[in-house]
């Protein structure tokens, strides 16, 4: 009797997936791409949730969509470091078991969320960083992009150049003020 009631409750609950596409100011020229990407991510995640009945699968697939889309600060669309490279972090957790996996300072891995899941499932560790992450990825058949740097998009590269240019202008402006104060003092 209890099993029948459980199945009835399970069937009465409509699965739901919520996608957060990031924070910050979105230039109007990129709004459409972001909206389409969030919709695609939600669709893929929901479809996976229905088919596999696994929230972990759904989350991974939904995030993979964003990692493959240059409109998001994930995977292919990641923001650059000051050195002009892509370094990413990702984590995933199973709410049922509280098991988790996390990776940090990941370079040249297209889908870090999938790597974090492999860490969760196959590593005695829960959090790997930098060189240990890449070594673990290789040992577990996760593809490392070669040549390095393929995750850098033109949009992000241009944004970084603009940012550096603005910072240099600020620095020059400050140095000009220092000269003025030196002359006054």
């Amino acid at each position: 009797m209890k099993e029948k009631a459980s199945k009835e409750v399970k069937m009465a609950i409509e699965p739901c997936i919520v996608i957060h596409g990031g924070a910050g100011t979105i230039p109007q020229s990129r709004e459409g791409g972001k909206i389409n990407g969030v919709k695609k991510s939600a669709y893929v995640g929901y479809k996976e949730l229905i088919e596999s009945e696994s929230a972990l699968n759904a989350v991974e697939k939904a995030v993979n969509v964003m990692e493959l889309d240059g409109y998001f600060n994930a995977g292919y669309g990641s923001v650059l470091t000051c050195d002009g490279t892509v370094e990413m972090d990702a984590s995933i957790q199973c709410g049922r078991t509280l098991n988790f996996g996390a990776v940090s300072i990941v370079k040249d891995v297209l889908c870090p969320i999938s790597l974090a899941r492999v860490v969760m499932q196959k590593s005695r560790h829960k959090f790997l960083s930098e060189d240990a992450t890449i070594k673990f990825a290789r040992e577990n058949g996760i593809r490392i992009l070669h040549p390095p740097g393929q995750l850098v998009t033109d949009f992000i590269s241009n944004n970084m150049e603009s940012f550096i240019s603005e910072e240099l202008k600020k620095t020059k402006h400050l140095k000009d003020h220092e000269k003025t104060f030196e002359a006054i003092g």
Side-chain angles (χ1 to χ4, degrees):
M1 180 79 158
K2 188 176 181 181
E3 185 177 313
K4 183 179 179 187
S6 177
K7 284 185 179 180
E8 287 176 12
V9 170
K10 185 177 179 182
M11 299 305 280
I13 298 172
E14 180 67 29
C16 176
I17 188 164
V18 177
I19 302 297
H20 184 288
T25 304
I26 302 168
Q28 189 173 9
S29 63
R30 295 182 56 85
E31 283 179 5
K34 287 280 262 191
I35 291 168
N36 288 337
V38 167
K39 286 179 181 178
K40 182 178 179 184
S41 178
Y43 173 80
V44 168
Y46 184 80
K47 184 174 185 265
E48 183 64 31
L49 182 60
I50 297 300
E51 290 175 1
S52 71
E53 296 184 359
S54 167
L56 272 175
N57 290 350
V59 166
E60 181 181 4
K61 296 297 181 197
V63 173
N64 286 158
V65 169
M66 291 186 282
E67 290 172 325
L68 297 171
D69 187 333
Y71 282 96
F72 297 95
N73 182 9
Y76 186 63
S78 295
V79 173
L80 302 180
T81 66
C82 291
D83 295 329
T85 62
V86 170
E87 294 179 356
M88 303 164 290
D89 304 326
S91 65
I92 192 166
Q93 181 174 2
C94 177
R96 189 172 29 81
T97 65
L98 301 182
N99 194 12
F100 72 95
V103 293
S104 182
I105 315 174
V106 177
K107 297 178 182 177
D108 300 308
V109 172
L110 188 56
C111 295
I113 195 69
S114 296
L115 178 55
R117 186 167 183 188
V118 174
V119 168
M120 178 180 76
Q121 294 174 328
K122 294 186 177 183
S123 175
R124 64 184 178 93
H125 305 288
K126 296 301 171 194
F127 189 111
L128 297 177
S129 180
E130 211 163 357
D131 294 339
T133 305
I134 296 303
K135 180 180 179 201
F136 179 82
R138 284 192 181 106
E139 291 170 352
N140 286 277
I142 303 291
R143 183 173 161 230
I144 310 298
L145 298 174
H146 190 78
Q150 293 181 50
L151 296 175
V152 178
T153 65
D154 289 341
F155 175 78
I156 292 299
S157 184
N158 292 338
N159 272 2
M160 180 57 100
E161 287 175 19
S162 295
F163 173 77
I164 290 170
S165 176
E166 288 300 314
E167 290 302 307
L168 288 173
K169 285 179 190 174
K170 289 178 190 175
T171 302
K172 184 183 179 330
H173 182 71
L174 288 173
K175 285 183 180 178
D176 289 344
H177 280 297
E178 287 173 6
K179 288 178 185 174
T180 303
F181 290 127
E182 286 173 7
I184 295 172

